[in-house]
């Protein structure tokens, strides 16, 4: 029944979340999603879902493992640490903006700020920290912001993702908006995020081997061979929209932040493994 229910969602053509998930709580969504993928891939240990396609394809996994002795993102992480520790012009640092001095907190992002009534992603918090200290914001998709984010992620490796949806109508609305985005079809190809990552993980689409929904945010920022550099999750969102011939939204738009909120909640309990490498 569960499998039929979620596949129906992936196949649905409506531009809103189908009635099958209407009224469900975030935790009910997460449990059903996890159980669905456990049934789809019974031989994959739950924690291995953070490895995406490498958990599903042995040949690709061997190629990936051979890269881990000298991962291509190492220099960016070092750059990110230097930026993180270098004082701003006013003498303060990124550490002054974050709980626990910004170390070991990646697993708590994104979160819903009940005072500002919005989802706060790690990259958004990084740039707001800069602006609060008189510095110019960084570009959202790659470069320095990806390096700082990668360094902060590296200090949380192994910590379980711990996203909360507070008992607040605006928080629930943000979560539901992200869920609706994930299951809504768009673009000339009429695909949703779920068309690939719920209905068809473990299959090829052109030259891409599709990964499952759960575990995806645990990797970011990622170094993609296609990019030749680190990129943020919102860069990947925009790329996916382009792939289905839909107009991508601006990085850190409300829609993409809500999408990240929903998607990361689906990975609660899985360990942070970012930064990581992908094709």
């Amino acid at each position: 029944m569960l499998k039929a229910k979620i596949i129906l969602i992936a196949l649905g053509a409506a531009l809103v979340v189908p009635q099958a998930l209407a009224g469900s709580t975030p935790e009910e969504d997460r449990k059903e999603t996890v159980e669905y993928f456990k049934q789809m891939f019974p031989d994959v240990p739950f924690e291995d879902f953070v490895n995406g396609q490498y958990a599903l394809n042995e040949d690709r996994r061997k190629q990936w493992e051979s890269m881990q002795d000298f991962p291509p993102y190492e220099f960016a992480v070092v750059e990110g640490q230097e930026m993180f520790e270098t004082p701003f012009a006013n003498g303060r640092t990124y550490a002054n903006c974050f709980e626990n001095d910004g170390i070991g907190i990646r697993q708590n992002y994104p979160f819903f700020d009940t005072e500002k009534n919005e989802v706060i992603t790690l990259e958004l918090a990084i740039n707001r920290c800069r602006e609060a200290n008189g510095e110019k914001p960084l570009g959202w998709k790659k470069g320095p912001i990806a390096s700082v984010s990668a360094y902060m992620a590296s200090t949380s490796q192994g910590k379980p993702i711990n996203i909360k949806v507070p008992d607040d109508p605006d928080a629930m609305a943000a979560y539901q908006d992200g869920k609706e985005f994930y299951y809504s079809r768009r673009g000339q190809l009429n695909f949703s995020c779920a068309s690939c990552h719920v209905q068809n993980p473990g299959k090829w689409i052109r030259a891409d081997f599709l990964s499952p929904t759960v575990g995806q945010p645990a990797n970011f920022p990622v170094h993609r061979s296609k990019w030749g550099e680190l990129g943020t999750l919102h860069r990947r969102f925009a790329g996916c929209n382009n792939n289905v011939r839909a107009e991508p939204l601006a990085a850190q738009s409300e829609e993409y932040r809500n999408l990240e909120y929903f998607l990361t909640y689906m990975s609660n309990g899985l360990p942070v493994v970012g930064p990581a490498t992908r094709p």
Side-chain angles (χ1 to χ4, degrees), residues 240-262:
C240 288
N241 279 175
N242 274 323
N243 289 343
V244 301
R245 299 176 189 169
E247 187 69 27
L249 303 176
Q252 298 303 320
S253 63
E254 181 180 9
E255 293 89 346
Y256 276 176
R257 283 185 284 132
N258 291 347
L259 174 61
E260 181 177 346
Y261 192 40
F262 163 75

Side-chain angles (χ1 to χ4, degrees), residues 73-86 143-148 151 230:
Y73 52 75
E74 278 190 324
F75 292 113
V77 174
V78 172
E79 176 190 51
Q81 182 175 2
E82 291 176 353
M83 291 183 62
F84 188 87
E85 295 174 352
T86 299
I145 201 164
S147 297
V148 174
Y151 167 66
L230 274 176

Side-chain angles (χ1 to χ4, degrees), residues 46-277:
F46 177 58
E47 287 202 350
D48 209 26
F49 280 117
V50 295
N51 294 321
Q53 60 179 274
Y54 304 125
L56 311 181
N57 185 295
E58 187 62 27
D59 289 339
R60 288 220 152 189
R61 187 183 187 101
K62 290 177 180 177
Q63 296 172 17
W64 169 65
E65 288 176 341
S66 70
M67 297 173 59
Q68 299 315 298
D69 290 336
F70 302 100
Y73 52 75
E74 278 190 324
F75 292 113
V77 174
V78 172
E79 176 190 51
Q81 182 175 2
E82 291 176 353
M83 291 183 62
F84 188 87
E85 295 174 352
T86 299
F88 301 128
N90 65 3
R92 294 168 66 85
T93 67
Y94 287 104
N96 297 118
C97 298
F98 293 94
E99 181 183 4
N100 200 43
D101 294 333
I103 303 301
I105 61 170
R106 178 67 182 91
Q107 69 281 0
N108 301 323
Y109 283 81
F111 70 90
F112 189 83
D113 187 323
T114 54
E115 294 183 0
K116 294 183 172 65
N117 288 327
E118 63 176 340
V119 172
I120 307 296
T121 65
L122 182 58
E123 287 78 19
L124 183 66
I126 288 169
N127 261 347
R128 286 189 174 173
C129 175
R130 292 181 61 83
E131 292 176 302
N133 286 283
E135 303 289 330
K136 292 182 179 180
L138 303 171
W140 291 120
K141 295 182 180 180
K142 60 183 180 179
I145 201 164
S147 297
V148 174
S149 181
Y151 167 66
M152 294 181 72
S154 75
T155 69
S156 286
Q157 286 181 349
K159 292 182 179 291
I161 292 172
N162 185 31
I163 307 306
K164 301 182 185 301
V165 179
D167 185 14
D168 179 282
D170 291 323
M172 181 59 70
Y175 170 86
Q176 294 290 347
D177 183 67
K179 180 169 72 172
E180 179 177 326
F181 191 105
Y182 196 81
Y183 287 106
S184 295
R185 291 178 178 267
R186 57 182 48 82
Q188 290 181 338
L189 298 186
N190 196 33
F191 274 27
S192 68
C193 306
S195 298
C196 290
H197 301 296
V198 174
Q199 185 184 353
N200 289 301
K203 298 178 182 178
W204 292 90
I205 181 167
R206 298 176 182 162
D208 293 322
F209 190 78
L210 300 175
S211 60
T213 300
V214 293
Q216 289 175 333
N219 304 279
F220 281 83
V222 299
H223 183 286
R224 295 192 71 202
S225 301
K226 180 178 180 179
W227 296 338
E229 61 184 345
L230 274 176
T232 64
L233 181 57
H234 288 211
R235 181 180 182 180
R236 191 72 190 99
F237 286 165
C240 288
N241 279 175
N242 274 323
N243 289 343
V244 301
R245 299 176 189 169
E247 187 69 27
L249 303 176
Q252 298 303 320
S253 63
E254 181 180 9
E255 293 89 346
Y256 276 176
R257 283 185 284 132
N258 291 347
L259 174 61
E260 181 177 346
Y261 192 40
F262 163 75
L263 186 60
T264 310
Y265 189 95
M266 292 300 100
S267 292
N268 264 358
L270 287 170
V272 173
V273 294
T277 57

